[in-house]
Amino acid sequence: MDFAIVAMRGTFGPAARDPATAATVSLVTAHVTALSITPPPSMTSPPPVDFPLSSVDFPLSPAHTSAAIWDGVARRAADWLEAQGLSARDAVLLLPFAQHLKPARVAWMKLSRWQPRIETTRSLASALGPSPLPHAQQITEDAAIDALAARTLLGGQTWAEALRQEDPRAYDAAVQRLVEAAHALARAAALRDPAHRGDFWEQGRQALAQQGGVGHLERALLAVALEWAAADPRAPATDALFALRPSAWLHLQCGGPDPLAEALLASAEAAGIPCLRLNADLPLDAAFDGGAPVGRIEQAVCDDFEDLAQCSAASVLDHLQAGRAPVALIAQDRVLLRRVRALLERQGLGIQDETGWTLATTAPAAQLMAMLRAARRDATVDDWLAWLKTPLAASLREKGGSASLSALEAHCRRRGWSAPQAVRADRLPPGSERLWEAAREALLPLQLRGAQPLEAWIAALGQALQQLGADEQLKRQPAGGPQVLEALWLSKTPWPGSGHEAVLRGAQLTASEFVDWVSQTLEAGDYKPPLEGGLQIMITPLARTMLRPFGAIVLPGADAATLGPVPPGPVLIGDTFARELGLPTVDSKRQALAWQFAQLLRAPAVTLLRRGHLGSEPLAASPLVDRLDLALQAAGHVLPHWHDPRLDAAVPAAHVDRAAAHAEGRLPSALSASAVESLRQCPYQFFARVLLGLREAGELEVQADKRDYGTWLHAVLHQFHTERVERRDPELDDDARLQRASQDQMRELGLAPAEFLPYSASFARFVPAYLGWLAEREAEGQRFERGEVDRRVHPWAQIEPALAELALLGRIDRIDDAGDGQLLVDYKTGSVKGLKDKVANPLEDTQLAVYAVLMGSRQSHDPGPHPALSRKRERERAGVKASGLGSPPARCVGNTWPWTTPRASPRSSMNTWKRRRP
């Protein structure tokens, strides 16, 4: 035995520098050491004696509860071995799960007899030797890696290449389905007797050949998956079990038949090895034929999601208070379990989660994905800001200063910079400029052009993290940081010559494909948080609760939508094909679920909780709960209702007066037309927005919207008319000048041509209509005078001393000279009908009144007409003021202001108001 240990160390020693390899070597060495203490099963052939397969059942009874059944298993197995005259120390007892090893060994120790080798099929196979490494083009069981290998397999298929060119998304889905089917077939083949594995593959080919009708693509993908899995020459580690010759095989069956254990027992029986099946399965419909329930069973119907979560947490706490610990909390609905766990964590309880959650949902993974999304060439400023707010960019924020990020975000939202290319670093505050430039430099390693080997992308990612100092930060993050680095091959290297190494070096990925690979890798990984404190609550799936000594079991989600539907199998493997190959079918999965549910009856206490309604629709109980209820009724019992331990707290009604608005020291220095409109329409909105200064952060939309179009159109028309007045580039006609202005302002505002295409098409129809309208107005003597005119007046100075410093300000889009007066032109991008309806009653339109006040008197800062204009006529200003603004009465003509009603030009986006001379 010492020689065997030395040989293993000599074989694995040079490669043990890898952590995973070192762990494997330690595991193998530990098993070999244990074998040196406990004699291994004899490898010699047993005497040629015919031993039929024996079976022992464990029905529901007080002696066969989840805690007491192990004493019965040990006693019945020991008695059988003794009756058959078999050596117990040379026998092997196989259990369903690794969690069963400890209670089984403890129970056998109570007998003070020789103990057999107590293992699961997986643990025993691992003890006999490691699994062979996959080589190039062999299945690695890593979904993301195998997906890249599958692309290589499909590269030589003309039909697959045609699909990739025609519909890339459908091709990606086909690759995922291919990998899914190949994994399922490979796992199913590993559960077969090695002597009959060839028959399994041949049976699969025959079943596939018999399929007909539609679905040619699906059958082609399934054929590739079948041959890919069948071409793997490696022998699974579990094949070593079939070569063992113990004195007897003993198998505890719980939750339905185990295909690998069934194949092993059949092979052993054919070889003349005694076999004993210890059957702990319970028929749900006849579970109580032998007597009353051995534990407390109750159910609760809750009102909604939150009520279900609170009742689940209250049930767990009630069991713990009654001394029934640990409590198993069955994970069915992960969203519900997150809420229940949040409620329980407030109590400071020790919670262990055996299911864990997807590695992609951890904080380190989210931070890394934010960085990769920001590095894409089609990234938005929102993507950059989301990354800069993560802990991975802490070093960049330190370079910019404490307020650099908030200032950067404010500038981007105020200026409407939605694309990183539109951000003008020279227009940012100094700290924000340093932050932005440092962020650009940090992402340069990840902005490689074209397709690169996956290995190069991983190296670039590692370089970027190292420059940021984020690699060490990820290692220190306990909630998944080290697991993220390991899953992405940033903290480990593949075995030389392995399939992982071949894919990492050979797969060529673009930037977007690399991001997809990272996402798939993180989705396939899982993270299980460590237990803090003593174990009180165990979150586990239904199958893992079987025959475990829990004090109580709480099952939230015992409704027809959650408990009953079985997970679907691979898309390419239909139920008929699965049945012909002996793969799990829908019926077999439902039966296995019923066996797992029936094992709950062995627990001391079980609480079933469900919702009575899903939205407005009634939600029935699970069919398994209905079968349980019928079984109890057949035995003369009922399924009692759960007693809610929550306490009702009476909250006395208290009258609350409306809070008074206090605006001392908050009066604004100026009001705009929109602020005046807010005051007229909703005083509370005026108080919140103007006096309190509350604002919603503007969204940085990737797609241009109507507000972007309006801002752009204002700038285009202002540039167009300004250049015409200044006679800049006289060789250009009006159409070319207007088109040039549109392109200049698109670049100035950072609008992507592809995103702005719908509005560009609308502008193409607008140009000839606008130029035609302009020619008509100029023929009538109307001329552009000035545009984007900022006006600021103090209309209340002589009316209300307290408001003397309050200014009214606004910007007039355009002022034209019409000979007999001025025309105020306001550009609008809405419908003509909507504009006419809005100003049908001029006294109700705030903008008209504000424009009247703004143009009522010349201010010292008024720039006057454009310098290029030669008109120097004295313009008399009429003292018109807006009604209701505390100004002198306005001079009206009939029932209208001295400004004419709006005139909308055909197919244009402007309204005009004419100011008459008195």
Side-chain angles (χ1 to χ4, degrees):
M1 186 57 62
D2 293 338
F3 174 80
I5 297 175
V6 173
M8 288 189 177
R9 288 175 177 167
T11 303
F12 293 93
R17 291 172 294 180
D18 182 76
T21 305
T24 304
V25 173
S26 301
L27 180 63
V28 173
T29 305
H31 281 301
V32 174
T33 305
L35 287 173
S36 64
I37 300 173
T38 302
S42 175
M43 299 301 294
T44 60
S45 299
V49 180
D50 185 16
F51 288 96
L53 178 63
S54 302
S55 180
V56 176
D57 295 331
F58 293 87
L60 187 63
S61 68
H64 297 154
T65 63
S66 56
I69 193 174
W70 293 107
D71 294 334
V73 168
R75 185 176 60 257
R76 298 290 292 273
D79 292 343
W80 180 81
L81 289 172
E82 184 176 353
Q84 298 294 329
L86 302 173
S87 172
R89 68 174 189 173
D90 292 336
V92 177
L93 172 60
L94 297 178
L95 304 178
F97 301 112
Q99 290 82 358
H100 296 153
L101 296 177
K102 180 179 179 180
R105 290 169 179 168
V106 170
W108 209 288
M109 291 175 60
K110 296 178 183 178
L111 301 178
S112 300
R113 301 184 186 180
W114 276 104
Q115 181 174 312
R117 183 76 178 267
I118 303 177
E119 301 279 359
T120 66
T121 53
R122 303 298 177 185
S123 65
L124 182 57
S126 299
L128 298 176
S131 300
L133 289 173
H135 295 285
Q137 296 302 320
Q138 292 180 354
I139 296 176
T140 65
E141 291 293 337
D142 185 331
I145 291 292
D146 287 340
L148 299 178
R151 292 176 180 272
T152 304
L153 290 176
L154 295 178
Q157 305 292 332
T158 55
W159 54 270
E161 186 64 21
L163 177 64
R164 186 183 66 82
Q165 295 179 359
E166 179 182 353
D167 192 343
R169 290 190 176 182
Y171 178 79
D172 293 339
V175 170
Q176 298 301 324
R177 293 177 178 179
L178 168 62
V179 173
E180 182 184 50
H183 285 183
L185 292 171
R187 287 192 293 266
L191 302 178
R192 265 55 180 184
D193 187 338
H196 304 299
R197 189 168 295 138
D199 298 336
F200 172 80
W201 297 121
E202 187 59 33
Q203 186 178 2
R205 296 185 183 98
Q206 294 177 2
L208 185 59
Q210 293 174 0
Q211 293 184 357
V214 296
H216 300 284
L217 176 61
E218 287 77 5
R219 287 197 298 275
L221 291 171
L222 182 55
V224 174
L226 180 67
E227 298 302 333
W228 186 19
D232 195 338
R234 295 173 299 157
T238 52
D239 282 4
L241 302 180
F242 293 87
L244 286 179
R245 294 296 181 265
S247 62
W249 286 103
L250 298 89
H251 172 236
L252 177 62
Q253 178 176 301
C254 184
D258 181 353
L260 178 58
E262 292 295 318
L264 185 59
L265 294 183
S267 175
E269 186 180 7
I273 301 177
C275 301
L276 174 65
R277 177 183 288 112
L278 303 165
N279 184 20
D281 284 332
L282 295 175
L284 181 58
D285 300 318
F288 306 106
D289 289 352
V294 299
R296 168 186 170 187
I297 308 174
E298 55 191 1
Q299 71 165 340
V301 181
C302 307
D303 296 332
D304 51 25
F305 176 88
E306 181 61 25
D307 188 39
L308 177 59
Q310 292 185 11
C311 289
S312 301
S315 177
V316 171
L317 296 175
D318 186 46
H319 287 306
L320 291 176
Q321 188 174 5
R324 294 184 287 268
V327 177
L329 184 61
I330 297 181
Q332 298 244 95
D333 185 343
R334 294 304 306 178
V335 177
L336 175 64
L337 256 295
R338 281 198 292 268
R339 176 59 179 155
V340 176
R341 175 164 186 159
L343 294 173
L344 293 174
E345 284 179 339
R346 299 175 183 176
Q347 308 299 322
L349 301 173
I351 303 176
Q352 183 172 359
D353 192 345
E354 289 188 339
T355 60
W357 49 78
T358 305
L359 192 57
T361 62
T362 60
Q367 298 164 18
L368 189 64
M369 288 302 301
M371 177 181 176
L372 292 175
R373 283 191 290 267
R376 296 185 307 184
R377 296 191 178 277
D378 60 344
T380 65
V381 172
D382 268 333
D383 294 330
W384 281 61
L385 294 175
W387 163 56
L388 291 174
K389 293 176 183 179
T390 65
L392 299 185
S395 60
L396 300 179
R397 296 195 298 271
E398 293 177 359
K399 293 181 180 179
S402 58
S404 58
L405 180 56
S406 58
L408 172 63
E409 182 173 3
H411 273 72
C412 291
R413 296 190 184 281
R414 183 166 58 251
R415 297 179 179 272
W417 290 337
S418 60
Q421 297 80 7
V423 177
R424 303 291 181 86
D426 55 342
R427 299 185 181 181
L428 295 173
S432 301
E433 182 180 3
R434 292 194 302 271
L435 173 62
W436 185 257
E437 294 298 337
R440 284 184 181 275
E441 184 179 355
L443 293 181
L444 283 179
L446 292 172
Q447 294 178 337
L448 303 176
R449 292 185 177 273
Q452 302 290 333
L454 177 56
E455 190 177 44
W457 283 113
I458 294 175
L461 177 59
Q463 179 184 353
L465 292 175
Q466 187 175 8
Q467 290 179 357
L468 292 171
D471 53 344
E472 294 297 329
Q473 188 180 44
L474 285 174
K475 293 177 182 178
R476 293 191 299 267
Q477 290 194 29
Q483 290 81 358
V484 168
L485 294 175
E486 183 176 353
L488 298 178
W489 300 92
L490 292 169
S491 62
K492 66 177 182 179
T493 56
W495 285 84
S498 64
H500 292 88
E501 183 187 56
V503 171
L504 294 180
R505 292 183 176 180
Q508 298 286 326
L509 302 181
T510 62
S512 60
E513 291 173 341
F514 173 66
V515 175
D516 293 339
W517 175 82
V518 172
S519 177
Q520 293 173 11
T521 302
L522 296 178
E523 286 288 345
D526 58 356
Y527 169 72
K528 297 179 181 179
L531 172 65
E532 297 182 0
L535 176 62
Q536 295 174 287
I537 303 171
M538 176 73 74
I539 300 177
T540 186
L542 177 60
R544 297 292 179 88
T545 61
M546 298 188 299
L547 304 185
R548 297 179 67 179
F550 291 116
I553 298 178
V554 176
L555 194 158
D559 53 71
T562 308
L563 180 62
V566 294
V571 177
L572 299 178
I573 300 179
D575 220 40
T576 302
F577 184 82
R579 188 177 295 106
E580 293 179 359
L581 264 69
L583 302 179
T585 62
V586 173
D587 292 338
S588 63
K589 292 177 183 177
R590 287 175 180 167
Q591 182 58 52
L593 182 63
W595 276 322
Q596 296 166 9
F597 179 78
Q599 291 298 324
L600 299 180
L601 306 179
R602 299 186 188 273
V606 178
T607 303
L608 308 174
L609 304 103
R610 64 179 180 90
R611 282 183 286 179
H613 292 82
L614 184 59
S616 60
E617 297 294 330
L619 187 59
S622 169
L624 298 176
V625 177
D626 290 338
R627 292 172 61 182
L628 172 62
D629 193 11
L630 292 175
L632 285 170
Q633 293 179 21
H637 304 281
V638 295
L639 184 59
H641 291 284
W642 173 67
H643 172 68
D644 193 346
R646 295 177 295 175
L647 300 178
D648 294 331
V651 180
H655 177 71
V656 179
D657 295 329
R658 177 179 295 181
H662 298 283
E664 298 179 3
R666 291 185 177 274
L667 291 178
S669 60
L671 293 177
S672 64
S674 61
V676 175
E677 175 72 12
S678 176
L679 178 60
R680 296 184 65 195
Q681 299 297 332
C682 180
Y684 179 77
Q685 184 186 74
F686 176 85
F687 174 76
R689 291 188 174 181
V690 179
L691 299 187
L692 299 184
L694 303 180
R695 290 288 188 275
E696 294 181 358
E699 292 294 333
L700 293 171
E701 300 286 347
V702 175
Q703 299 293 334
D705 56 13
K706 288 185 177 181
R707 190 179 72 170
D708 296 323
Y709 176 60
T711 303
W712 171 80
L713 184 61
H714 280 66
V716 169
L717 294 177
H718 180 65
Q719 177 182 338
F720 168 72
H721 285 287
T722 302
E723 290 183 354
R724 289 182 82 229
V725 170
E726 296 176 352
R727 300 185 180 279
R728 193 183 307 172
D729 298 330
E731 69 278 0
L732 291 178
D733 59 11
D734 286 346
D735 186 278
R737 190 183 303 278
L738 194 55
Q739 295 291 347
R740 185 179 70 175
S742 69
Q743 297 299 320
D744 291 346
Q745 294 304 319
M746 191 176 296
R747 287 190 296 269
E748 179 69 19
L749 297 176
L751 299 173
E755 300 170 2
F756 207 66
L757 184 60
Y759 300 105
S760 298
S762 177
F763 181 74
R765 297 191 300 271
F766 165 78
V767 169
Y770 176 76
L771 293 179
W773 174 87
L774 182 63
E776 293 176 3
R777 295 297 179 269
E778 290 182 343
E780 297 174 358
Q782 180 178 329
R783 294 291 185 272
F784 173 84
E785 184 175 295
R786 47 192 162 142
E788 303 297 328
V789 180
D790 290 323
R791 301 282 294 179
R792 185 184 183 96
V793 299
H794 294 80
W796 301 280
Q798 299 179 5
I799 301 173
E800 179 60 53
L803 302 178
E805 299 299 324
L806 180 61
L808 182 66
L809 53 86
R811 171 174 293 182
I812 301 175
D813 293 342
R814 171 175 156 188
I815 302 177
D816 282 8
D817 181 12
D820 61 341
Q822 289 179 321
L823 281 176
L824 304 186
V825 182
D826 188 65
Y827 302 131
K828 298 292 185 181
T829 56
S831 66
V832 175
K833 182 179 183 303
L835 294 175
K836 288 183 176 181
D837 294 341
K838 183 177 180 180
V839 295
N841 186 353
L843 295 179
E844 293 299 323
D845 186 76
T846 305
Q847 190 175 20
L848 285 175
V850 171
Y851 274 12
V853 174
L854 292 177
M855 297 301 296
S857 61
R858 169 67 64 89
Q859 303 295 322
S860 60
H861 60 271
D862 190 342
H866 194 281
L869 295 176
S870 58
R871 304 182 186 87
K872 297 182 179 179
R873 297 194 305 267
E874 181 70 17
R875 290 175 171 80
E876 181 181 358
R877 309 294 178 181
V880 292
K881 304 293 181 179
S883 175
L885 297 178
S887 56
R891 182 170 59 84
C892 301
V893 180
N895 291 328
T896 64
W897 292 100
W899 306 84
T900 62
T901 56
R903 294 184 295 166
S905 61
R907 301 179 62 187
S908 68
S909 301
M910 62 175 52
N911 283 336
T912 59
W913 290 270
K914 184 175 182 180
R915 181 188 183 193
R916 299 191 184 119
R917 295 179 181 271

